[in-house]
Amino acid sequence: MSSATTSRTQVGIVGAGPAGLFLAHLLRREGIDAVVLETRSRRYVEERIRAGVLEHGTVALLDELGLGTRMHREGLTHAGIELRFGGRSHRIDFPALTGGKTITVYGQHEVVKDLIAAWLDGGGDLRFEVADVAVHDLESTLPRVTFRDAGGTVHELRCEVIAGCDGFHGICRTSIPHGVLTAYERAYPYAWLGILAQSKPVSDELIYVNHDRGFALFSQRSPTVTRYYLQCAPDEDLGGWSDDRIWSELHARLAGEQTPRLTEGPIMQKGVTAMRSFVVEPMQYGRLFLAGDAAHIVPPTGAKGMNLAVADVWVLARALATFFTAASTSALERYSETCLRRVWRAQRFSWWMTSMLHRAVDGDRFGARLQLAELDYVTGSLAASTSLAENYVGAPLS
Ligand code: APR
Ligand code: PHB
């Protein structure tokens, strides 16, 4: 192993997902120095297929940062979603219910590509393929991050603050001493089998389907690339899902009155996404601040994961600006409390959407009838559909 080096920065950012990358850009705007460390390769993070719904506020933030050009060119503005149950579709019109707001469908990995390119173009420090990342002295005013670069050289990064943006499986949350954090968790007895296919989308808008055979979601990435999901078992064996079986299951779950025309095509990617709700409180320990999936996970039904990560780092960047310019820790002290309000709102919404749309695995027939009553109410009542719409487009960042 090569000899050690030491360097300094104001904020050490662990993880180059949406949380870490948005934070890096927000700090750059404030004139705060940051270094981003990422265990994976650039190619890996740029190709990792995840969700793709950007809330109104996330789109506005990309624009504010001057990073929205490709998103506006290639992303798709959606003015609503369809809820399909009992074989019929019902539309939720976002602009009509939220004073003009829409969402944008643009893959998370495309956002990540744009953020990485702009960070590096602006001379930003981002180290890919680092190993053995560890955080130290979190209770002190000079915490440190140590890591090994791809060549094996050991580095020590001395920071004033560390941002733990390293996702659910990262090391930051687990470096906090036992007993400090309280975890709140809910596991769901199902998962999503997701595909990316070369085919014409079934509709211009997303369709969320409640069906006796299980939930399905019809989404897209472009006018020629579709992203579809099917409710499956958490331990589903992908080997049992031929392309033919996937298409025939999608046809079956979409069928009913006014069946939208589903066009098949080559499937480019298949994967199983787990469904879990998870929150730790507080989102801070000493000079370590957790953001995004490192602190909370939502089931994907409400499309909130990336948007929550963005909301966290927006709060964190503002608090860090106060800290570095006015030497005041008061905003940083409120970081966790401020974020957790939005986190729990999104948890409630994601849990509600999930519970309303998925088939219970225990054959709960009463529950299935309640789901239909809920869907009937949501699509028939102005108050209830407004509630869904305002949660889906997301509250402004504040
Ligand atoms: N050191 C450095 N980087 C790490 C480490 C580590 N020890 N462990 C993990 N990472 C990296 C991961 O490789 C990943 O690139 O941290 C990054 C975390 O990114 P995400 O998992 O995308 O999490 P986040 O930025 O919080 O974004 C949340 O991602 O999981 C989706 O649905 C979720 O859309 C949401 C969004
Ligand atoms: C997606 O397009 O990947 C997507 C859309 C809506 C969701 C989840 C995922 O609720």
Side-chain angles (χ1 to χ4, degrees), residues 105-122:
V105 175
Y106 185 59
Q108 179 173 312
H109 68 290
E110 303 294 353
V111 176
V112 163
K113 274 187 211 164
D114 296 345
L115 295 176
I116 291 175
W119 177 249
L120 296 176
D121 281 354

Side-chain angles (χ1 to χ4, degrees), residues 76 232 281 306:
L76 303 160
C232 65
E281 296 188 6
M306 171 170 41

Side-chain angles (χ1 to χ4, degrees), residues 294-307:
H296 41 72
I297 301 276
V298 284
T301 328
K304 291 288 156 223
M306 171 170 41
N307 297 294

Side-chain angles (χ1 to χ4, degrees), residues 193-196 227 238 241-243 246 267-272:
L193 193 170
I195 63 157
L196 198 64
R227 178 88 173 130
L238 271 177
W241 285 89
S242 63
D243 292 9
I246 291 174
I267 296 181
M268 302 178 285
Q269 202 253 358
K270 284 180 205 174
V272 173

